Amino acid sequence: MMIKLDHINKYFGDVQVLQDINLEVREGEKLVIIGPSGSGKSTTVRCMNFLEEPTSGHVYIDGKELTRKNKMELVRDTTSMVFQQFNLYPHMTVLKNLTLAPMKLHGKSREEAEELAYHYLDVVGLRNKADAYPNTLSGGQQQRIAIARALCVQSKIILFDEPTSALDPETIQEVLDVMIKLAKEANITMVVVTHEMGFARQVADRVVFMADGQILEEGPPEHFFLNPKNERVKKFLSKIIR
Amino acid sequence: MSGLFSEDAWLMVWAHKDTFILGFMNTLETSMAAILLSLVIGIVIGLMSMSDRSLLRSINRVYVEFIQNTPLLLQICVLYYALAFSGHKLGILLTGILALGVYHGAYMAEVFRAGIGAIPKGQFEAAESQGFSYVGKMYYVILPQSIKIILPPLVNQIVNLIKNTAVLYIIGGSDLISLTYNFVTGATTGGAYAPAYLVCGALFFLICFPLSMLAGLWEANLKKQDGREAGAEKKVAAT
Ligand SMILES: Nc1ncnc2c1ncn2[C@@H]1O[C@H](COP(=O)(O)OP(=O)(O)O)[C@@H](O)[C@H]1O
Ligand SMILES: [Mg+2]
């Protein structure tokens, strides 16, 4: 199992936002998480790299329990994250954004790191932006750079938290295309919070539906298109599938 | 001695120019040491305000509020006389450095807190999600972004600190203000008020004004940069 959430509960103050979440993600699996806003999707994904620490329960990454003590090393060595707001480092060029972690955290030389960076810039189709600063790029371009940054550390797991939700409609597809390419070509374990059901249908091995901090239904994407069981799932899907 | 700016008064000041130079140098030395101390305190205490440990956050609040809400003059007296009573003699210079460093450290802490607080949460999370340690995150990602926000108010604090070396007078310091005051009230040198104060003020102005200018320039630059960035974002949104 690449990721295992074992009886995860999460409270913010008195409010319980995750209730007994159990979820396993196989190596190389592409998992899509859907559900209404506020249902705990982000919190679930953020528990996988301890951006949020569960109030109770256990998280296992690649067989090792993730703890407050080992999170720095374990997260560094196993997972990357792509955020809704891109979160590129605005004071660095694209190339520096991509080479920072490989050089400072993964012992790569500048040459090695830049070679990697250019390789993944090619993957996302933005080699010509290496010397640009993030805020001169469009949202879609920034997100593709953020994906390249996540790829540069060559981690086994990439977590995506609504990677296209902050984008203008016309740039969503360019980001999805990159993600589809990754999903098809690389043996990366991908956990993707998204409402893009087209994407889910194309690449997801499994879709999980969350509401009120619980997993209400899960199955292959076809299941959600053909015969979802739960009324809330049906209602939700009828709203997002156009 | 006749006339505020009589020739005699000026000659008297000139004859004692070494006094003013000495005071000036003492003020500079005290300031520089105190600035270093206040920066260290400012960074450490300022970062405490961002900690997820409530104890550290409390230490930050207590320190900042206590120091900012009692007079510097009182703090330096307490430091000097309390220590003297308990048998520790720090010396006037060291007491001055400590008092000024501790006092302005509290203000520096607020400067750092504001500068770091202005950086979006996503930047911290991006660095954490890559596996950076606290120090790595601050050094590579957060501080380089906050520095342009921090610098202008930080320079203002430095200017204030230099001017506040005047409080050394109360413990018998030999800073510029104290020596100037001793000079104009001295038995043999007294009376040359106007030229002496003018010289003293000019010397302060000589250090403080360029610093203030620098801070102002930085601030203007920062505003311009922000404008450009906002402009760039708008362009992106429009395309
Ligand atoms: N840092 C936080 N502090 C307090 N409440 C939070 C925090 N983060 C999320 N929440 C709350 O937790 C619930 C789940 O949030 P989230 O996981 O972001 O949901 P989703 O990603 O599905 O929209 C929401 O009600 C949200 O308001
Ligand atoms: Mg969310």
Side-chain angles (χ1 to χ4, degrees), chain B residues 2-37:
Chain B
S2 66
L4 275 177
F5 293 99
S6 72
E7 197 177 327
D8 283 355
W10 279 108
L11 284 177
M12 173 85 86
V13 169
W14 180 249
H16 289 87
K17 59 180 183 298
D18 287 351
T19 306
F20 291 88
I21 292 171
L22 179 70
F24 184 67
M25 296 318 281
N26 285 343
T27 284
L28 271 189
E29 274 172 32
T30 311
S31 299
M32 282 205 267
I35 286 165
L36 282 183
L37 179 62

Side-chain angles (χ1 to χ4, degrees), chain B residues 7-171:
Chain B
E7 197 177 327
D8 283 355
W10 279 108
L11 284 177
M12 173 85 86
V13 169
W14 180 249
H16 289 87
K17 59 180 183 298
D18 287 351
T19 306
F20 291 88
I21 292 171
L22 179 70
F24 184 67
M25 296 318 281
N26 285 343
T27 284
L28 271 189
E29 274 172 32
T30 311
S31 299
M32 282 205 267
I35 286 165
L36 282 183
L37 179 62
S38 71
L39 283 175
V40 172
I41 291 177
I43 290 178
V44 173
I45 299 286
L47 287 178
M48 281 184 182
S49 71
M50 310 272 152
S51 171
D52 28 77
R53 278 185 229 164
S54 61
L55 175 68
L56 294 183
R57 287 202 309 274
S58 307
I59 292 176
N60 163 279
R61 275 345 289 164
V62 170
Y63 183 87
V64 169
E65 296 301 343
F66 183 76
I67 295 293
Q68 286 193 352
N69 292 296
T70 50
L72 170 58
L73 215 51
L74 179 67
Q75 290 167 21
I76 198 169
C77 289
V78 168
L79 196 61
Y80 189 69
Y81 295 107
L83 282 179
F85 260 114
S86 64
H88 301 78
K89 202 111 173 91
L90 277 184
I92 292 164
L93 196 67
L94 204 54
T95 307
I97 291 170
L98 265 183
L100 286 167
V102 164
Y103 179 78
H104 286 281
Y107 287 91
M108 294 284 193
E110 291 293 86
V111 169
F112 279 99
R113 184 164 82 108
I116 293 165
I119 305 303
K121 208 164 153 247
Q123 292 293 309
F124 293 80
E125 293 181 349
E128 279 163 36
S129 76
Q130 291 199 298
F132 277 102
S133 66
Y134 180 79
V135 173
K137 172 176 72 181
M138 285 297 160
Y139 184 78
Y140 293 115
V141 177
I142 305 303
L143 286 177
Q145 293 185 60
S146 17
I147 198 73
K148 60 176 187 176
I149 307 167
I150 288 173
L151 270 178
L154 183 130
V155 174
N156 287 334
Q157 277 309 311
I158 289 178
V159 168
N160 285 339
L161 185 152
I162 294 170
K163 292 188 293 183
N164 275 344
T165 53
V167 297
L168 264 72
Y169 179 76
I170 204 155
I171 54 170

Side-chain angles (χ1 to χ4, degrees), chain A residues 12-13 15 17-18 35-44 46 52 161-162 193 210, chain B residues 121:
Chain A
F12 284 116
V15 185
V17 298
L18 293 182
S37 174
S39 57
K41 306 180 297 294
S42 295
T43 308
T44 302
R46 290 157 63 87
E52 302 293 355
D161 190 0
E162 302 211 32
V193 177
M210 289 187 69
Chain B
K121 208 164 153 247

